[in-house]
Amino acid sequence: MKRMNALAEQRHMSIGIVGAGWIAEHAHLPCFLSLGNVSVRAIYDTDEARAARLAEQAGAAACSRLSEIGQVPLDAVILCTPNHTHYEIAKHFLEKGIHVLCEKPMTTTAKEAESLRRLAEETGTVLMMGFVNRYRDDIRELRSRIAAGQIGEVQICEVSWRRKRGIPRPGSWFTQKQLSGGGVLIDLGSHMLDQLLFLTGAEEPVACLGSFHSRPVFTQEGYSNWLGSSESEKVEVEDTAVGMIQFANGMLGKVHVSWQDDVAGDFVQIHLKGERGSLTLNTLFGFSDQGLYKQPHLLLTFAGQEVQYFPLPAKPDPLVAFQRQAEQFVACIREKSQPVPSAQDGEKVVRLIELLYQSVRKGLVVT
């Protein structure tokens, strides 16, 4: 019986990739292609040429309509389309009993996020959030120290991801409000708000205050970065966002994210102040080649004592985290277990983002 169960768990799994953009091509596709007993059977994109290019790499069917990908027998899909499409496309597959790994953000509204979470529960499907940075070794090290009580109960958590020249292709859907739902807060902020919640376990927000800022983008100077070149000067969304969140347990959270900031290089910083001391992680998420820190590191400080410095492996390969995420997604489907990060985790982040946007629109603290 045990052998039969093991064989059932390892049955061949068919995957579809929905959205053939940068993250699908450079992260998800190579990771899922490397998994045993898993095949990428279909690539969908409204751009037929782009779908065809990735499909050729995977030996998969190229689809430019959802009706086409629906003809391919699939167990699960990886959702990598523009933000405003997440709700309808995820709903489409979940209703058919097809599992979904959804790139951030889960949706652009909290109401839609709640609806998808409930749908996954009703259909018994796996709806997993693509908060890939949870799988990084530096984050695992930081979280283990917090969980071990090294700094005591966390009182303040500040999370930052700031780039020097990191707008995702100015003029693309990332910078068009109707398609993205927002700017850097919904892009980089989704990851950083998830880290805030993941590392601290903070639950209910009781007050939020947000402040957004933007600068002109001079694309005529040949703006480009590792994500590609500019498409136009049309940037309708914020490029810098700062927010403060008071939680019901008394913890204060702060988020600071920027696509173009006055910094010497790109960096991620997570600082936690506890009742016994503080922990600070200086590192960089993502694929940027403009990192500030040559040596990522942790700083540990106890009240009134000298700072302790702990170097971490230089520039972690971001594909390691994507590989672990792919393995976790497949394991959850085979084991019929709840994914971590879950749909509820995605919903919590969308709710925080929505509150911060409300605060900016109203010009005051929202509760």
Side-chain angles (χ1 to χ4, degrees):
M1 179 64 72
K2 288 183 178 179
R3 177 174 172 76
M4 289 179 64
N5 288 339
L7 289 172
E9 288 173 2
Q10 291 301 313
R11 70 176 181 83
H12 190 86
M13 191 173 297
S14 297
I15 302 289
I17 294 182
V18 182
W22 196 97
I23 201 67
E25 180 176 4
H26 295 277
H28 292 295
L29 182 59
C31 290
F32 277 93
L33 285 177
S34 72
L35 297 181
N37 226 11
V38 173
S39 62
V40 177
R41 297 285 305 280
I43 306 286
Y44 163 87
D45 199 284
T46 53
D47 184 326
E48 294 184 28
R50 193 160 57 184
R53 187 177 72 251
L54 262 66
E56 184 177 2
Q57 294 178 33
C63 309
S64 58
R65 288 189 280 282
L66 285 177
S67 59
E68 293 177 357
I69 196 173
Q71 296 172 16
V72 181
L74 296 175
D75 297 296
V77 296
I78 319 305
L79 183 50
C80 312
T81 54
N83 300 344
H84 77 293
T85 68
H86 285 188
Y87 173 70
E88 290 295 342
I89 296 179
K91 180 172 178 285
H92 171 85
F93 287 105
L94 292 172
E95 287 178 337
K96 294 178 180 297
I98 296 173
H99 309 287
V100 176
L101 169 58
C102 183
E103 266 293 343
K104 55 78 194 167
M106 184 172 171
T107 58
T108 56
T109 71
K111 183 178 180 181
E112 289 177 343
E114 180 183 9
S115 176
L116 286 185
R117 189 226 340 134
R118 292 183 181 277
L119 178 58
E121 292 170 352
E122 292 166 3
T123 57
T125 47
V126 171
L127 174 55
M128 180 171 161
M129 275 308 303
F131 291 139
V132 68
N133 296 303
R134 290 192 183 199
Y135 298 92
R136 293 171 57 96
D137 287 333
D138 48 11
I139 291 298
R140 288 179 170 183
E141 174 68 16
L142 178 60
R143 191 166 188 253
S144 69
R145 289 173 178 268
I146 298 166
Q150 195 165 43
I151 61 171
E153 184 177 352
V154 177
Q155 300 169 334
I156 300 172
C157 180
E158 300 177 74
V159 293
S160 301
W161 187 348
R162 298 165 67 185
R163 292 175 177 170
K164 181 178 182 179
R165 188 181 173 91
I167 301 174
R169 302 190 315 279
S172 70
W173 68 262
F174 279 98
T175 66
Q176 298 179 46
K177 181 108 172 26
Q178 186 176 358
L179 304 182
S180 64
V184 70
L185 179 65
I186 209 167
D187 181 33
L188 306 187
S190 289
H191 285 299
M192 300 317 297
L193 287 169
D194 176 64
Q195 285 299 314
L196 191 156
L197 298 176
F198 176 59
L199 293 169
T200 66
E203 286 291 337
E204 191 65 27
V206 295
C208 292
L209 176 64
S211 179
F212 297 167
H213 307 277
S214 296
R215 287 173 169 174
V217 181
F218 300 103
T219 55
Q220 67 270 22
E221 297 179 2
Y223 190 100
S224 65
N225 55 34
W226 69 98
L227 292 165
S229 58
S230 62
E231 297 182 15
S232 74
E233 293 186 2
K234 188 177 182 180
V235 177
E236 304 171 342
V237 293
E238 80 283 351
D239 63 44
T240 298
V242 179
M244 297 182 68
I245 306 153
Q246 185 72 52
F247 290 93
N249 66 352
M251 192 196 83
L252 179 67
K254 180 181 177 183
V255 58
H256 183 173
V257 287
S258 182
W259 279 335
Q260 54 172 355
D261 211 340
D262 302 323
V263 292
D266 302 352
F267 69 91
V268 163
Q269 183 178 80
I270 299 175
H271 174 74
L272 302 109
K273 179 183 177 183
E275 57 188 354
R276 296 183 57 235
S278 297
L279 275 165
T280 301
L281 171 65
N282 291 317
T283 189
L284 179 58
F285 292 169
F287 294 82
S288 169
D289 55 3
Q290 303 171 12
L292 177 63
Y293 301 113
K294 293 181 179 179
Q295 183 75 59
H297 55 273
L298 272 169
L299 302 175
L300 172 63
T301 311
F302 293 114
Q305 298 183 23
E306 293 296 318
V307 177
Q308 300 178 47
Y309 176 90
F310 300 95
L312 298 168
K315 200 176 188 302
D317 181 356
L319 282 182
V320 171
F322 276 94
Q323 186 72 40
R324 290 170 177 169
Q325 177 179 253
E327 292 168 357
Q328 172 74 4
F329 181 53
V330 169
C332 286
I333 295 171
R334 286 181 170 151
E335 297 166 6
K336 298 182 179 179
S337 60
Q338 284 300 310
V340 178
S342 66
Q344 188 174 32
D345 293 322
E347 182 184 350
K348 287 178 181 178
V349 168
V350 173
R351 288 190 183 280
L352 286 180
I353 289 171
E354 193 170 78
L355 287 170
L356 289 168
Y357 277 126
Q358 287 177 8
S359 169
V360 171
R361 286 196 300 269
K362 296 178 179 180
L364 44 78
V365 175
V366 297
T367 59

